[in-house]
Amino acid sequence: MLRSTVASLLASALLLPQVTGQATFRNPVIYEDFPDNDISVGPDNAFYFSASNFHYSPGAPILKSFDLVNWQLIGHSIPKLEFGDGYNLPASGERAYRGGTWASSLRYRKSDKTWYWIGCTNFWNTWVYTAPSVTGPWVRAANIGPGGTCYYDNGLLFDDDDTPYVVYTKDATVNVAQLAADGLSQVKSVNVVNASMVGADSIEGNRLYKINGTYYILNDKPGSTTYIWKSRSPWGPYTSKILVENIKPPLNGGGSPHQGSLVQTPEGDWHYMSFTWAFPSGRLPVLAPIEWGSDGFPTLVSGPNGGWGDSYPTPLTAHPMPNWTATYTFQGPTLPPAFEWNHNPDTTKYTVNNGLTLSTASITNDVYSARNTLTHRVHGEYPAGTVRIDFSNMADGDRVALAAFRDRSAYIGVHRDGSTYTLTAKFNMTLDEWGGPTLDNGTVVATVKLLANTSKTVWLRTDMDVRPDGSNNATFSYSADGESFVQLGETYKLYTGWAFFLGYRFGILNWATKALGGSVKVLSFTVA
Ligand SMILES: *[C@@H]1O[C@H](CO)[C@@H](O)[C@H](O)[C@H]1NC(C)=O
Ligand SMILES: *[C@@H]1O[C@H](CO)[C@@H](O)[C@H](O)[C@H]1NC(C)=O
Ligand SMILES: *[C@@H]1O[C@H](CO)[C@@H](O)[C@H](O)[C@H]1NC(C)=O
Ligand SMILES: *[C@@H]1O[C@H](CO)[C@@H](O)[C@H](O)[C@H]1NC(C)=O
Ligand SMILES: *[C@@H]1O[C@H](CO)[C@@H](O)[C@H](O)[C@H]1NC(C)=O
Ligand SMILES: *[C@@H]1O[C@H](CO)[C@@H](O)[C@H](O)[C@H]1NC(C)=O
Ligand SMILES: *[C@@H]1O[C@H](CO)[C@@H](O)[C@H](O)[C@H]1NC(C)=O
């Protein structure tokens, strides 16, 4: 009796922190697509989180936190994706879907007060970007190993004596490279671990740490298992233990977390930030405490659900950050960091000044080849995006739209043909999910012709259910006053495949089908 009362009090303490004063946080800590995290501590003792964003530009988003729970997107390590022509969506048709940044590493180096980002991008080259401040200016400092040296899924460590090391995968082997003192070229590389040593076919997501004089490699078998390896020398020999394996996820319908990074709080407590695969939303960061055993290996603290907890006590005193949801009015002169373009934008074709003016930048019928699509990650389980657009300056043949955007997309927009303006819902624009060709330019599912005397300003809205165990429904609607919305078209089913690696985003698209010269003005954009 007493025991069950205590148990239920404990349970309610976890659910209702305000009742007991025991502060807790909930997983995912960010209900947004920020995969492949590498978290480290900056010179100001804040935490910095580097993520992947593939073919979106700018690349390699950086988040900041003071408490590991509340995060803010503050910038990017790669101002422009300069890894090949395809990143500019040229008229010749090259594209870089699924290229760009993935599983890379960000560290602050005390000796030269410099930030280093290192990653392998397409086409299998490793690049180093550096900056004097985490918010920039970031510059491309080196290409390590032209000719195909790829530090695949890498982790950077500046040792206590300042020597730079990078751990990475090559085929099914794990290797540690020592870099030159300036961090910009390779001195040597040694194969230290093989996937076969743990009975795995492949091994990924490498991180390298030095903790109390011992070197640790964190990595994973795709889909299931996190390993941690330790050695007295960076060159091995390493012994390993499993940190998590097929652990119950904190989110219904999410994947078992198994890749990420370890981080220590100023109080000395350690946490593992991983992510759960949760399409159509994306890969959502999840946090859990770890404890170190007397054998020098950590174990994960399980949560109230017996697995990776959906809640835990907060690691540190809460330090709120600005809301993820917001209304943007594009005062300028630059875009907030929460916005990323699909591939590099044509910077001559947009201005941010008391509204975002988008001039058409491509002539195409394929949204995946149209330049200057501006995106914003969807937030939460039921994201809603509402954009207010002045389309009075569209040219004949132009299209402007708000999309649920990824490898399978749908939109509501305005099409101009001659002097006719038509509200249009178009579904099923389909890109090969492995980054190949466009398979379908979509089907118009509903239209409403606008009368010649109606206002050339419209609100377009999309509402989604992106829970991995949810309906995956998306609806599209329009409004003349921003108050009452009318749905256009039936429900669109969001795609839940993982191969594209990225989740749905809001996409603001504006392109020409006949000739360049037209433009639209985005007056506001509300992400809720
Ligand atoms: C990894 O496998 C290769 C090929 O079998 C072998 O030559 C190498 O010694 C192995 N590495 C380690 C660290 O055991
Ligand atoms: C590192 O050493 C300190 C001091 O001996 C100890 O308190 C701490 O638990 C150690 N940390 C790890 C991760 O072994
Ligand atoms: C964040 O947004 C939500 C929903 O609009 C609102 O309830 C909350 O007060 C906001 N929080 C802050 C810190 O502004
Ligand atoms: C999509 O439209 C482009 C023209 O913009 C065309 O080249 C391509 O063949 C179309 N793709 C499909 C699958 O119809
Ligand atoms: C969507 O596009 C795919 C690829 O072309 C096609 O197989 C499918 O039939 C299309 N679905 C609809 C509803 O048009
Ligand atoms: C626009 O024109 C239609 C018919 O041509 C008319 O019924 C309507 O009242 C007009 N609306 C405005 C705002 O003038
Ligand atoms: C999802 O859409 C389908 C088709 O319109 C509808 O039958 C179903 O009720 C929707 N589910 C939710 C949760 O809204």
Side-chain angles (χ1 to χ4, degrees):
M1 176 78 177
L2 180 62
R3 177 173 296 196
S4 71
T5 304
V6 168
S8 73
L9 280 172
L10 279 173
S12 63
L14 290 163
L15 292 168
L16 300 167
Q18 68 274 27
V19 173
T20 63
Q22 167 64 75
T24 60
F25 72 89
R26 295 199 68 81
N27 276 317
V29 287
I30 313 168
Y31 209 113
E32 246 175 74
D33 190 15
F34 287 107
D36 303 336
N37 71 77
D38 185 22
I39 299 179
S40 60
V41 178
D44 55 356
N45 289 324
F47 302 103
Y48 292 89
F49 176 133
S50 178
S52 313
N53 66 343
F54 295 80
H55 51 268
Y56 287 104
S57 179
I62 305 167
L63 292 80
K64 179 174 184 170
S65 175
F66 295 96
D67 61 11
L68 291 175
V69 171
N70 295 285
W71 292 89
Q72 181 184 12
L73 178 49
I74 58 160
H76 295 80
S77 297
I78 302 185
K80 187 178 176 197
L81 308 176
E82 295 175 291
F83 313 124
D85 293 342
Y87 289 91
N88 298 321
L89 288 179
S92 54
E94 291 157 273
R95 310 191 288 199
Y97 288 103
R98 290 168 95 253
T101 61
W102 33 275
S104 46
S105 189
L106 173 74
R107 285 289 181 281
Y108 176 73
R109 188 180 198 180
K110 291 191 181 95
S111 62
D112 61 1
K113 299 186 169 58
T114 298
W115 289 85
Y116 288 75
W117 177 94
I118 184 165
C120 173
T121 72
N122 291 11
F123 299 87
W124 310 104
N125 262 267
T126 300
W127 304 89
V128 182
Y129 283 72
T130 58
S133 157
V134 72
T135 50
W138 283 91
V139 296
R140 185 156 85 181
N143 175 7
I144 295 182
T149 294
C150 175
Y151 292 161
Y152 180 97
D153 274 26
N154 69 53
L156 177 62
L157 168 72
F158 292 106
D159 205 343
D160 301 336
D161 68 1
D162 206 35
T163 305
Y165 295 101
V166 182
V167 62
Y168 64 96
T169 290
K170 182 173 188 184
D171 302 322
T173 71
V174 175
N175 303 268
V176 170
Q178 180 183 333
L179 303 184
D182 64 6
L184 304 182
S185 61
Q186 177 178 299
V187 172
K188 65 169 179 171
S189 182
V190 175
N191 164 222
V192 296
V193 162
N194 287 344
S196 58
M197 292 163 66
V198 285
D201 294 335
S202 60
I203 198 158
E204 299 187 334
N206 301 285
R207 303 286 174 232
L208 181 61
Y209 302 101
K210 191 175 191 186
I211 302 170
N212 284 355
T214 298
Y215 295 86
Y216 288 90
I217 295 173
L218 184 77
N219 54 21
D220 61 280
K221 175 162 86 178
S224 65
T225 314
T226 310
Y227 306 102
I228 184 149
W229 308 74
K230 75 180 171 82
S231 173
R232 298 300 297 175
S233 158
W235 313 118
Y238 284 87
T239 56
S240 73
K241 274 189 100 167
I242 288 173
L243 179 53
V244 298
E245 182 164 40
N246 291 318
I247 193 168
K248 184 173 195 261
L251 186 66
N252 288 339
S256 176
H258 58 273
Q259 180 185 334
S261 54
L262 305 181
V263 63
Q264 187 181 27
T265 66
E267 277 80 351
D269 302 322
W270 284 84
H271 282 73
Y272 180 18
M273 184 80 88
S274 185
F275 52 92
T276 180
W277 293 60
F279 292 104
S281 176
R283 292 182 284 164
L284 314 177
V286 297
L287 185 69
I290 57 172
E291 284 170 357
W292 294 85
S294 54
D295 62 356
F297 284 105
T299 50
L300 192 103
V301 177
S302 51
N305 62 349
W308 193 296
D310 49 2
S311 72
Y312 286 106
T314 51
L316 292 162
T317 308
H319 185 120
M321 290 300 212
N323 256 351
W324 287 101
T325 54
T327 293
Y328 301 93
T329 54
F330 304 105
Q331 293 309 300
T334 56
L335 289 165
F339 289 91
E340 294 166 358
W341 301 91
N342 176 29
H343 294 61
N344 293 321
D346 178 341
T347 56
T348 68
K349 294 289 199 285
Y350 76 91
T351 55
V352 192
N353 179 12
N354 193 24
L356 168 68
T357 301
L358 296 170
S359 300
T360 51
S362 304
I363 303 170
T364 182
N365 287 306
D366 178 356
V367 294
Y368 297 111
S369 291
R371 283 192 91 170
N372 289 22
T373 293
L374 188 64
T375 74
H376 189 295
R377 288 172 184 76
V378 299
H379 183 83
E381 299 175 313
Y382 305 101
T386 309
V387 68
R388 183 179 177 219
I389 293 174
D390 175 346
F391 57 91
S392 57
N393 200 40
M394 282 176 101
D396 180 19
D398 283 4
R399 278 88 179 91
V400 61
L402 174 67
F405 191 70
R406 68 181 296 228
D407 54 322
R408 295 193 193 178
S409 303
Y411 72 64
I412 181 168
V414 177
H415 290 191
R416 179 178 173 185
D417 294 290
S419 57
T420 304
Y421 295 79
T422 309
L423 280 166
T424 304
K426 197 172 184 186
F427 288 3
N428 204 42
M429 286 74 75
T430 306
L431 181 70
D432 172 75
E433 63 189 333
W434 305 98
T438 297
L439 302 176
D440 201 307
N441 283 328
T443 304
V444 171
V445 297
T447 59
V448 174
K449 269 196 184 126
L450 294 173
L451 297 173
N453 61 2
T454 48
S455 161
K456 298 271 185 298
T457 296
V458 70
W459 278 262
L460 304 174
R461 177 179 168 111
T462 177
D463 290 274
M464 308 182 206
D465 174 355
V466 296
R467 295 171 301 155
D469 63 341
S471 70
N472 306 320
N473 283 357
T475 56
F476 297 87
S477 53
Y478 64 93
S479 170
D481 59 7
E483 302 274 320
S484 72
F485 282 82
V486 178
Q487 186 174 340
L488 191 66
E490 297 298 314
T491 303
Y492 176 76
K493 281 287 172 196
L494 299 167
Y495 181 53
T496 58
W498 62 268
F500 193 60
F501 289 128
L502 289 155
Y504 275 95
R505 294 182 170 204
F506 300 116
I508 301 173
L509 298 93
N510 177 56
W511 75 102
T513 64
K514 292 185 178 166
L516 300 183
S519 67
V520 296
K521 189 164 185 179
V522 182
L523 302 172
S524 70
F525 181 42
T526 300
V527 177

